[in-house]
Amino acid sequence: MFPLLLLMLLSHSRWIATANVTSDCNSIAKNIFILSGQSNMSGRGGVFNQTSSSGTVSLTWDGVVPPECQPNPSVLRLNGGLTWVEADEPLHKDIDVNKTCGVGPGMSFANKLKMDDPDIGVIGLVPCAIGGTNITQWVRGGWLYNEMIRRTKVALQGGGTIRGMLWYQGESDAIDLDDAKLYKNRLMKFFKDVRNDLELPTLPIVQVALATAPGPYMEVIRKAQLGINLPNVRCVDAKGLPIGPDMLHLTTPAQVKLGEMLANAFLQIQKVFLPSSN
C-alpha cells in the first residue's frame, strides 16, 4: 500500500511541476520564430530503416541528440496542442505526425542564437513544417498556410514578438518542370502573403537553397531560391552538407551545421537593420 501511495504522490508532484512550467512558459515574453517548409525543416536527422524480426521495415529515429541540440530552459516550442513547452528533439514530433521525425535545424539555430546573443532572452519556436509538401500546398487560404498563421497568432497570445521565419522547402517542386519554372513567383508571393497576414512587412525570413531533390529540376529550384531579392530575405545554401543513405535528407551533423548557418544569417539581417548606436 505504501509503495502505491508514494508512487501516486510522486506522480502528482510531477504533474504539478509540469503544470507550473507550462503556466510559466505561457506568460513569458518570447522571441518567436516560425519553422516551416517540408521534411528537411521538420527534421530527418538520425532517421533510418529498421527491420523487425518478422521482416517488417519501418523508419525509426536513433534518438541521438548532439550537444548543439540539447534542451535549454529558455528555448520553448509551441506543441501540437498549442501549449508552450520546453523544446526538445524532435521539434516536429507532434506536428509532422504522418512521418518519422528526427533532428532538424531548429534547436541548433536557437542554441546558436543564445550563444551569440546572450541577451536575446527566451526563444519560442513554432514548428509548422510538413514533409513531402509542394509550394502550392502552402498557398494562402490552404490548410497548411492557414494552420501556420493560426499557430503563429496563438504563439503571440502569451506575450512576445515574431522575430523571423525559417523556410526550407522546394524538393517536391523539383519533380515537375512546370512547377520548377513557377517556383520563384510562387515563393515570392508566399513570403509577401505571410508578411501581410502577420502585419509584419519587414519580417526577417531566412530560406534554404536545396541540397537534394527527388526530381531532375533541382537546379531550377535552387536558381529561384538564390535569386529571391526581397528586403530582409536571406538564403543559406545547404548544397554540400552531408546527406543520409536515402540521398534526400540531411544527416544530424548537417542539420546542426544548417541551424548555425540560419542563425548567422538572421543575425546578419539584424545587424543591417538595427539602428546604429553612434
Side-chain angles (χ1 to χ4, degrees), residues 79-92:
N79 69 14
L82 300 177
T83 299
W84 286 109
V85 296
E86 185 173 324
D88 62 350
E89 297 286 6
L91 288 177
H92 281 78

Side-chain angles (χ1 to χ4, degrees), residues 40 171 211-214 218 242-250:
N40 273 315
E171 293 94 339
T212 62
M218 182 177 80
I243 305 301
D246 64 1
M247 302 305 294
L248 183 60
H249 295 112
L250 300 184

Side-chain angles (χ1 to χ4, degrees), residues 68 72 74-75 107-121 123 163 256-268 270-271 274:
E68 299 89 345
N72 183 319
S74 58
V75 178
M107 283 302 298
S108 63
F109 165 82
N111 285 329
K112 175 68 171 172
L113 283 188
K114 296 289 295 179
M115 183 184 302
D116 289 358
D117 184 5
D119 297 326
I120 194 170
I123 292 174
R163 298 292 303 278
V256 170
K257 178 64 176 175
L258 178 62
E260 293 172 347
M261 292 164 62
L262 290 164
N264 288 336
F266 171 76
L267 291 171
Q268 284 300 314
Q270 296 299 101
K271 286 181 182 179
L274 282 177

Side-chain angles (χ1 to χ4, degrees), residues 1 7 11 14 25 31 34 83 98 115 143 145 170 206 236 246 266 277:
M1 179 67 183
L7 179 61
S11 298
R14 288 193 192 104
C25 289
N31 297 276
I34 307 162
T83 299
N98 293 319
M115 183 184 302
W143 187 86
Y145 181 92
V206 185
V236 301
D246 64 1
F266 171 76
S277 59

Side-chain angles (χ1 to χ4, degrees), residues 180-197:
K181 287 180 176 179
L182 292 169
Y183 188 79
K184 185 175 182 179
N185 286 337
R186 287 171 172 172
L187 184 61
M188 290 178 67
K189 184 178 186 306
F190 169 76
F191 289 159
K192 291 175 182 177
D193 286 343
V194 170
R195 286 173 162 176
N196 286 335
D197 286 336

Side-chain angles (χ1 to χ4, degrees), residues 2 16 19 29 47 65 73 77 79-81 88 94 136 153 187-188 207 222 237 261 268 272 274 277:
F2 179 74
I16 292 295
V47 174
V65 180
R77 78 177 184 100
N79 69 14
D88 62 350
D94 56 357
T136 58
K153 289 184 176 180
L187 184 61
M188 290 178 67
Q207 60 153 335
R222 282 176 49 78
D237 197 345
M261 292 164 62
Q268 284 300 314
V272 170
L274 282 177
S277 59

